[in-house]
Amino acid sequence: MDIRSLGYLRIETTKLDEWRTYALDILGMVESPDSTEDTLCLRIDDRSHRIVVQAGESDRLIAAGWEVANAAELARAAAELEEAGHAVKRADDAQLAERRVRDLIQVTDPCGNPLEIYWGQAQDHSALGTPYGNRFVTGELGLGHVVLPVSDIEAALDFYENLLGFQLRDSMKLPPQAVPTAAEQRDFHWMHFLSPNRRHHSLGLYPGALPPGIVHFMVELETLDDVGRGLDRMNAAGIPIASSLGRHTNDHMVSFYAQAPGGFQVEYGWDGLVVDPATWVAKEITADSFWGHQWNG
């Protein structure tokens, strides 16, 4: 299967007004013309939108969208998923129009996380015009990364690595207190980081349950100053900082984590590692960060 990148995220929220302020005024994203009264569509590059936040009765991840190159690759992905025993649902015309894509399929991973695989997303050729002059790192690397909770870490790793074709970049042992919602308590729990492209990781697999169905998503900025100014805006708005500024050991990202409306977090980062998949060797990391990233609670 030839998945190229994390293309978009779709989120349901009970706090749409809070998300509007958070995404536009704090994160520095741009509202897309695709928005409606109860759906906020967000641009961070030349795609019609990368993040959709829609009003609903819960706060949860609706779907992580993964991009393939064309119709033939989507057909191949559907066939491989079905052959492996995973139910595949084809999108209807209304869903394709809403997502601004040519075609897509829907599937869940072995732990119930909702995925969409698609091709042919529309572009917006107008100037992005972010409110603070900030620029996001996307292109072939995709939106950024997302960390999903999984109840069966071995089954999830097998699905993403051996069926979807992601490359395992590294893994980390988490102590039991870091995974209080694990299905089975052990001396330690593995967390894995994978990607289908040169971004160090587009996907993290967290071995526990979380009600929103998402641990965090990351967007990468072009400059350290963009991140620092974002941190200033968070503090000025009184938004809880979940983790202080720091540099990760695995992807070398300089970032901080802030609470988002709805019970999960957003990582705002700079200088993420870009690797050569042909020469990369999977490793175990033994610390989360070189410095910083002091977690609050």
Side-chain angles (χ1 to χ4, degrees), residues 216-268:
H216 74 261
F217 70 82
M218 183 281 297
V219 288
E220 184 177 359
L221 285 298
E222 284 191 354
T223 72
L224 180 58
D225 286 343
D226 285 339
V227 174
R229 293 183 184 116
L231 181 56
D232 283 349
R233 294 192 297 271
M234 291 282 182
N235 286 324
I239 294 170
I241 302 301
S243 177
S244 65
L245 194 70
R247 185 185 284 274
H248 281 305
T249 57
N250 59 357
D251 65 354
H252 297 183
M253 187 80 69
V254 176
S255 65
F256 68 90
Y257 294 72
Q259 295 293 345
F264 60 94
Q265 299 158 3
V266 170
E267 182 182 5
Y268 209 64

Side-chain angles (χ1 to χ4, degrees), residues 90-189:
R90 269 72 178 180
D92 59 31
D93 289 344
Q95 291 171 318
L96 298 181
E98 185 178 43
R99 288 154 178 77
R100 302 291 305 280
V101 300
R102 294 286 303 277
D103 201 4
L104 74 83
I105 57 174
Q106 297 171 320
V107 67
T108 58
D109 73 14
C111 302
N113 291 304
L115 312 178
E116 296 181 350
I117 303 175
Y118 73 93
W119 77 277
Q121 188 180 30
Q123 289 183 296
D124 185 330
H125 299 289
S126 64
L128 185 60
T130 56
Y132 309 107
N134 53 291
R135 306 289 297 183
F136 296 90
V137 177
T138 58
E140 65 169 308
L141 302 179
L143 160 64
H145 73 236
V146 63
V147 177
L148 300 178
V150 294
S151 55
D152 186 334
I153 192 71
E154 290 83 9
L157 179 61
D158 179 66
F159 175 83
Y160 286 101
E161 186 178 20
N162 297 320
L163 183 56
L164 268 61
F166 291 19
Q167 185 180 50
L168 177 65
R169 296 287 158 77
D170 51 42
S171 305
M172 178 171 63
K173 291 177 181 176
L174 300 180
Q177 58 267 32
V179 197
T181 58
E184 175 187 345
Q185 284 305 308
R186 305 175 181 176
D187 293 339
F188 64 86
H189 301 273

Side-chain angles (χ1 to χ4, degrees), residues 11 15-31 40-44 51-53 130-132 134 136 217 219 233-234 239 259-261 266 268:
I11 296 164
K15 305 174 177 67
L16 187 60
D17 288 342
E18 290 183 33
W19 262 106
R20 185 178 302 278
T21 299
Y22 186 84
L24 302 179
D25 298 342
I26 308 299
L27 297 180
M29 297 178 178
V30 175
E31 185 167 4
L40 175 64
C41 298
L42 298 165
R43 286 184 64 200
I44 61 173
I51 298 172
V52 173
V53 185
T130 56
Y132 309 107
N134 53 291
F136 296 90
F217 70 82
V219 288
R233 294 192 297 271
M234 291 282 182
I239 294 170
Q259 295 293 345
V266 170
Y268 209 64

